[in-house]
Amino acid sequence: MLDTALSANDFLFLAKGAGMTIFVTILSVFFGTILGIIFGVIRYQLGPYWSAPLMIVLDVFRSIPLLIQLVLTYAFLGTVLRLGLSGLTVACIVLTMYTSAYCAEIVRGGIEAVPMTLRRASRSLGMTWAQDMRNIVLPLATRVALPSWIGLALGVMKDSALVYVVQVTELLKSTQILITRLQEPLLLLMICGAFYFLISFPVARFGGYLEKRWSND
């Protein structure tokens, strides 16, 4: 029989941490994807030369470790600008921009994968640029980009463990608090890993289902 001091309230505490992880991930991936689509289309349309300023900004978010981004942004917004934003708000802002930086390259690559002959054919039929993008390019690019986007979303979910540095009590931080109090690191880390698995497994399976279904169409 397992001898542990872990109580039902402790499980509830971990579940609340998991809920915070899910909340931060959904919010960041949602808005990051929207910005990523916009940035990706701009990068593709303007080309490497005219989109260079945007590319530099996105490279900053891709190149600097997320932990440093969180600490610097929290300090800058709070100490320099004195905006008084909560740690949760700062975490969502940083993770959104972090997601958009990677998503932009996924979108750009997906658009470039659409055959140019197909795009010329759509324009020869009288489609406008917007109609071509909406009806031809984005649906095909989505099929190409989906596996990478799923990987990005799962990566952001795991990277959200770093938001503890801006005083957000997510799943890993909740686990660390209980480890300090109960002194049962192995059991608690196993439970933490199980929570992460339960969060990520349905997303990965659903992405695999969509990819398989679209490949058979």
Side-chain angles (χ1 to χ4, degrees):
M1 185 174 180
L2 183 63
D3 184 18
T4 176
L6 197 65
S7 67
N9 287 333
D10 295 329
F11 272 106
L12 181 60
F13 183 66
L14 288 175
K16 288 181 179 179
M20 179 60 70
T21 292
I22 294 172
F23 175 75
V24 171
T25 301
I26 290 176
L27 208 63
S28 302
V29 170
F30 177 76
F31 289 107
T33 299
I34 293 175
L35 288 176
I37 292 173
I38 295 172
F39 295 154
V41 171
I42 291 175
R43 281 214 57 201
Y44 176 80
Q45 288 298 128
L46 296 184
Y49 179 75
W50 293 106
S51 65
L54 174 62
M55 185 170 59
I56 292 173
V57 173
L58 296 180
D59 281 342
V60 168
F61 284 98
R62 283 196 300 268
S63 303
I64 299 177
L66 183 58
L67 182 64
I68 296 177
Q69 293 183 40
L70 287 165
V71 173
L72 291 180
T73 304
Y74 189 62
F76 179 76
L77 294 179
T79 305
V80 179
L81 297 184
R82 300 184 181 278
L83 294 180
L85 298 179
S86 67
L88 178 59
T89 302
V90 173
C92 289
I93 290 173
V94 173
L95 279 172
T96 294
M97 293 306 301
Y98 178 80
T99 303
S100 69
Y102 282 96
C103 187
E105 289 304 302
I106 294 173
V107 171
R108 184 185 60 82
I111 294 175
E112 289 182 348
V114 178
M116 187 56 66
T117 53
L118 191 60
R119 300 199 63 186
R120 293 196 187 100
S122 65
R123 300 304 289 271
S124 67
L125 292 175
M127 287 188 179
T128 63
W129 178 86
Q131 290 173 330
D132 174 44
M133 292 295 295
R134 184 174 66 251
N135 299 316
I136 304 296
V137 177
L138 290 182
L140 294 176
T142 299
R143 298 189 178 198
V144 176
L146 180 66
S148 298
W149 182 86
I150 292 292
L152 173 62
L154 293 176
V156 171
M157 184 270 294
K158 288 178 283 189
D159 289 339
S160 68
L162 297 174
V163 302
Y164 76 91
V165 298
V166 290
Q167 311 304 317
V168 177
T169 306
E170 40 65 61
L171 178 56
L172 187 58
K173 180 63 175 179
S174 300
T175 303
Q176 291 173 338
I177 292 172
L178 290 181
I179 288 175
T180 302
R181 183 167 63 83
L182 301 177
Q183 296 299 308
E184 298 182 22
L186 183 59
L187 174 62
L188 288 167
L189 287 174
M190 288 175 63
I191 295 173
C192 178
F195 269 112
Y196 275 114
F197 175 77
L198 291 174
I199 295 171
S200 60
F201 182 73
V203 177
R205 295 299 296 171
F206 181 66
Y209 164 76
L210 288 180
E211 184 180 0
K212 183 177 179 180
R213 181 178 178 181
W214 287 347
S215 65
N216 293 330
D217 289 344

